[in-house]
Amino acid sequence: MALAVFAYISMVLFIGITAYKARKLAQLPLHGRMELYPVPGEKGRHEYGGSYYEEAEWWKKPRELSKGTELKEMLKEMLFIKKLFENQRPLWWLSYALHLGIYFLAAWSVLIIAGAFTELAGLPVKAGAAAGTSLWAVLLYYLGIFTGVVGFALAAFGSGALFLRRVFDGTLKKYTTPQEYFNLLLVFAAVVSGLTVWGSDPTFGNARSVMAHVLSLTSFAAGPLLVLHVILVGVMFIYIPLSKMSHYVGKYFTFHKVLWENEPNVAGSEMEHKVKQALGYRPQNAWSAPHVKAAGAPAPEK
Amino acid sequence: MIDHKDLRPKDLGNPDQQLIKLQELMPLAAPYDKPGMEPDFKEIKDSWKEKYCASLDGFVGIDTLIRPKSKEEEEEFVGKFLNGLEKIFSDANNGVLQPLLLSFEYCAKCNTCSEACHTFAASGKNELYRPIFRSEVLRKIAKKYFTTSGKFFGSLVGADIDVNWETVARLGELAYRCNLCRRCAQTCPLGLDNSILAKEIRKIFSQEMGIAPNPLHEKGSMLQLKTGSSTGITKPAFLDTLEFLEEDIEEKYGRKIKFPLDKKGADILLLHNAGEFMAWPENPIAFAILFEEAGLDWTLSSEMMGYDNVNYGLWYDDTQAKKIALQQMRVAQELGVNRIVIGECGHAHKASAIVADRMAAAEGKIPVESCLPILWDMVRTNRLKLDPGKNNFPVTLHDPCNVVRQMGIVQPQRNILKAICTRFREMTPHGVDNYCCGGGSGFAIMNHCNFSDFRNKVSARMKFKQILGAFQDTMENSEVPKYVCAPCSNCKGTIRDILEYYQASAKFNVHFGGLVELMVNALVSMEKPFLEFLE
């Protein structure tokens, strides 16, 4: 029972700290413009990196924007790590293995939870050959095997290979801190401990059974390996949002709120409203160089 | 001295007299791939080492960064830096807080950015110029002094650097080994930007410690705020210059053109980089010829801050940038023009259109646009009669980072060149993937001690290689003139210097200039060539 409670707490903390970080980043003050082209939202110009500034008297013309292209580029980056693929292929193979492994493991976790609920509802999750098995249960069964096997294999390979690359690559080694080795090792240990716990049953029937106990808050016999696995995964879930592995939060802001923001300050716009608010703010801290102090902060124009 | 292959960010505080020495640079293309084609680095003088911080790589970029005379001065220097470092994460720095924190916190050190950096490549992949090297030093110092994890866990979380005068001074110098071109940010899988951190270091030095290269600060933004122009041209001198140019136009080209001046309610206020009037007057002359021939309603301003579009604050000091930008806006408002058009100056494009965009509410603000779309409109709508046969020589285009990568103005200048030149060819790479000229972020005007050697041989090396590549078919044929079109004053200055440094004009007939000069040269109405090298 204590193990189940710990698992719940770690998930709550993962979601809570992630949301807190996202909120803190979102609440930071309006910043100066820092677009970097190509910007995907620029309809018809994104392919070559163009923008509305290519038009004379751009402010008099309707801006042609495409949310679809922005979404497409965002998905390419999220699902395939496009920039790494294009700019550093050797590392992409390893990094993508880890990230794809994580995606598969996330899907596997959902399937295991769904399978546990299904079994709690009295429907056994089994192979299709068994008489009386529903299509839903069969899907959960086979998809669970596929996502689990692929996920564990890719995540273990990716995290292990990234760790080894940092250890043996002379350049990366110079920039890697002990904490950053620890980050990769923690992920690797969590995944490998999962492999040792669930690996003896590649159909993941045990995992569904344990999950059913966790979901129903009923006691179950946990061997030392399972205890270790749950603790490692729990610690990982709590630690990730506290570390820079929470780049899944930061990446949204770097692209959508900085590089792709592309929002000019034109009269009557929402941006103008935000600019007016930002200009009204009086900072508590001030710079000390003589030329700054002498002139004082320049008065904002309203 | 440390072998650069062994150099680590924490070595920045080492007591060595000089951390690294540049040796094997990136090879250039033919004919500069042969020995003896390239001048060697100038030897560093002992007096420079004694006075400035030459202990990074043997170059001096910051001519106001003077070695301390006592332990107290040294401690004061470090203390001020740490104060400034703390402030960049405070509300004193609101305008950049979100992008800064993101780039500061999330670097995965995947090293993807290195291959994108022209300086790193040109230096023979010297570790010191790897984009994350500088960023990592800043992170280490900040972690050591301002984070709980750094205070408790020290080297385990990377807070393992000795912070002394040498560390801080070298970091200040290192901030002036990056052109802030943001090409590395384009490749980052997490969307992070090392140039933000480089600029923050420059800001700490200027805004907190009062230290910035003289050409940027005292002889740059301060002079501009005092006289109206970073060139030091005052209003009477500016008026004299225009008068002289009008006579020049009549004498050379037989045209009577009067520069429209302080015309209230004009459609366009054309803002030039005042350096053009001094170094390349043919550029404002060409603008005047084109705008008059196309019948535009335009004016120049002779008011304080109205005749120089530069804003050096952009490179090192947000407070200076804001003072200049707001005063330039005011000039346009008082003239009552419909729009501000920025001439061929890349950083002024970014300063006026992008950086200043959120410095004032939109209501009453005069819209800003680049000169390039207007120039293309003139060509596209046949308002100018042009004969591309007059530009029958190889022409390549340099893309100023500020105009292209940071504003998305890619096609107008290309469309014009394709319409007015018979032998236009692109550099590789180009457009938003271009390489910086090597003079960006102030390098073009920094010539103190041996800094011009760093620019000519290292930061501008990739651009020179690109130019050589673009003209490979005729490079060694000195009978064929070749033209590098650089629609930006700073880029033009850098390209002028590299062509002179490598004697590419003298030996191989390679020339440089802006876009409008080529346009005027192609005008059917011009009786003789506008470009002097064709005469």
Side-chain angles (χ1 to χ4, degrees), chain A residues 1-282:
Chain A
M1 182 68 90
L3 214 53
V5 172
F6 175 69
Y8 278 117
I9 289 173
S10 66
M11 284 311 296
V12 168
L13 285 174
F14 174 78
I15 295 165
I17 300 169
T18 297
Y20 175 76
K21 271 206 151 176
R23 191 161 168 261
K24 290 291 273 184
L25 281 170
Q27 285 176 336
L28 285 168
L30 180 71
H31 58 77
R33 293 179 59 186
M34 289 193 186
E35 290 90 9
L36 202 57
Y37 293 86
V39 169
E42 284 288 343
K43 193 176 180 182
R45 302 183 201 262
H46 158 247
E47 289 73 18
Y48 63 85
S51 80
Y52 57 93
Y53 280 118
E54 290 188 325
E55 294 288 330
E57 298 190 286
W58 57 267
W59 57 94
K60 288 185 178 171
K61 296 172 185 166
R63 288 185 63 205
E64 302 237 12
L65 299 172
S66 167
K67 281 282 166 205
T69 319
E70 186 165 339
L71 187 69
K72 200 168 99 186
E73 286 302 309
M74 184 187 84
L75 287 174
K76 279 187 197 168
E77 206 44 62
M78 280 173 64
L79 298 177
F80 303 110
I81 324 181
K82 183 188 159 207
K83 281 186 186 277
L84 195 60
F85 179 80
E86 287 174 350
N87 296 300
Q88 203 185 170
R89 195 71 54 86
L91 187 66
W92 179 84
W93 288 107
L94 311 185
S95 179
Y96 192 54
L98 171 61
H99 286 88
L100 192 60
I102 291 169
Y103 297 158
F104 270 103
L105 285 178
W108 175 79
S109 304
V110 171
L111 289 166
I112 293 297
I113 292 168
F117 273 125
T118 304
E119 290 195 329
L120 285 171
L123 203 61
V125 175
K126 287 182 185 170
T133 311
S134 75
L135 180 63
W136 166 248
V138 171
L139 269 177
L140 289 176
Y141 179 80
Y142 285 111
L143 283 176
I145 292 174
F146 174 69
T147 53
V149 169
V150 174
F152 276 111
L154 283 176
F157 167 75
S159 56
L162 283 174
F163 175 81
L164 291 175
R165 186 177 160 118
R166 287 210 168 261
V167 171
F168 292 110
D169 182 304
T171 301
L172 292 184
K173 200 158 82 175
K174 284 184 209 171
Y175 296 90
T176 309
T177 64
Q179 184 188 18
E180 286 154 352
Y181 288 121
F182 170 79
N183 294 350
L184 285 168
L185 276 182
L186 179 62
V187 175
F188 181 73
V191 174
V192 169
S193 68
L195 268 174
T196 55
V197 173
W198 314 123
S200 59
D201 173 19
T203 68
F204 298 110
N206 291 344
R208 267 187 297 276
S209 167
V210 169
M211 185 58 78
H213 283 292
V214 171
L215 291 172
S216 60
L217 287 174
T218 52
S219 59
F220 59 96
L225 271 178
L226 178 60
V227 172
L228 177 69
H229 174 57
V230 174
I231 289 174
L232 281 172
V233 172
V235 167
M236 183 184 79
F237 270 114
I238 298 167
Y239 177 74
I240 282 177
L242 292 169
S243 74
K244 69 176 178 185
M245 286 193 284
S246 62
H247 57 240
Y248 53 90
V249 181
K251 194 165 174 171
Y252 168 80
F253 290 95
T254 56
F255 282 97
H256 295 275
K257 297 295 170 190
V258 182
L259 303 182
W260 298 351
E261 191 186 28
N262 210 24
E263 196 59 59
N265 171 22
V266 288
S269 65
E270 193 187 334
M271 181 50 69
E272 185 187 32
H273 177 66
K274 288 182 190 171
V275 169
K276 278 182 181 168
Q277 277 189 326
L279 290 172
Y281 180 77
R282 285 282 166 271

Side-chain angles (χ1 to χ4, degrees), chain B residues 68-291:
Chain B
K69 293 184 176 60
S70 64
K71 192 76 190 155
E72 289 72 32
E73 274 185 30
E74 188 172 333
E75 282 168 6
E76 189 190 350
F77 177 85
V78 174
K80 277 186 178 174
F81 174 79
L82 292 175
N83 283 343
L85 181 54
E86 194 171 15
K87 281 180 193 169
I88 64 171
F89 300 107
S90 77
D91 66 355
N93 209 22
N94 266 359
V96 71
L97 213 45
Q98 189 184 56
L100 167 64
L101 284 174
L102 291 164
S103 288
F104 188 82
E105 297 279 348
Y106 285 112
C107 177
K109 298 170 197 171
C110 66
N111 208 16
T112 309
C113 50
S114 300
E115 295 302 317
C117 175
H118 58 286
T119 298
F120 177 64
S123 70
K125 301 195 173 184
N126 192 299
E127 199 61 35
L128 185 65
Y129 307 111
R130 193 181 287 284
I132 58 169
F133 186 95
R134 177 188 311 103
S135 306
E136 204 47 25
V137 173
L138 190 71
R139 285 192 192 97
K140 282 180 185 297
I141 302 176
K143 269 190 183 166
K144 182 168 179 166
Y145 289 92
F146 304 115
T147 68
T148 314
S149 63
K151 283 174 188 162
F152 279 104
F153 300 111
S155 61
L156 290 177
V157 294
D160 56 356
I161 193 164
D162 288 332
V163 180
N164 49 47
W165 189 90
E166 218 65 55
T167 321
V168 176
R170 282 173 177 157
L171 184 61
E173 278 289 338
L174 195 51
Y176 286 93
R177 302 294 184 273
C178 165
N179 285 116
L180 312 184
C181 79
R182 303 183 72 203
R183 192 171 192 271
C184 64
Q186 264 182 333
T187 65
C188 177
L190 296 173
L192 312 181
D193 191 341
N194 286 295
S195 82
I196 293 178
L197 302 189
K199 189 178 159 189
E200 290 305 307
I201 299 167
R202 295 182 182 195
K203 278 167 56 183
I204 296 169
F205 270 71
S206 180
Q207 295 175 199
E208 186 67 16
M209 304 162 79
I211 297 171
N214 255 323
L216 273 53
H217 189 62
E218 280 304 328
K219 293 178 185 165
S221 63
M222 291 300 272
L223 187 62
Q224 188 178 11
L225 288 164
K226 192 176 155 198
T227 65
S229 167
S230 62
T231 58
I233 301 181
T234 54
K235 180 173 178 171
F238 178 64
L239 296 175
D240 281 351
T241 305
L242 289 185
E243 207 177 309
F244 171 75
L245 293 188
E246 284 163 0
E247 287 164 13
D248 208 33
I249 295 171
E250 189 168 1
E251 193 180 307
K252 278 190 182 164
Y253 314 112
R255 293 183 177 223
K256 261 190 128 33
I257 289 182
K258 181 107 184 120
F259 283 97
L261 203 59
D262 302 323
K263 193 170 140 192
K264 293 257 179 193
D267 179 28
I268 292 168
L269 168 62
L270 179 61
L271 272 182
H272 284 298
N273 178 323
E276 298 283 345
F277 292 103
M278 316 285 282
W280 302 289
E282 61 276 13
N283 184 273
I285 286 175
F287 265 101
I289 292 174
L290 293 173
F291 276 28

Side-chain angles (χ1 to χ4, degrees), chain B residues 21 31 95 136 155 173 193 196 228 235-236 250 302 314 348 352-353 384 413 463 500 511 517 529:
Chain B
K21 186 170 181 168
E136 204 47 25
S155 61
E173 278 289 338
D193 191 341
I196 293 178
K235 180 173 178 171
E250 189 168 1
S302 69
L314 194 68
S352 298
L384 303 172
Q413 59 272 45
K463 186 51 60 183
E500 197 179 304
H511 303 272
E517 292 91 318

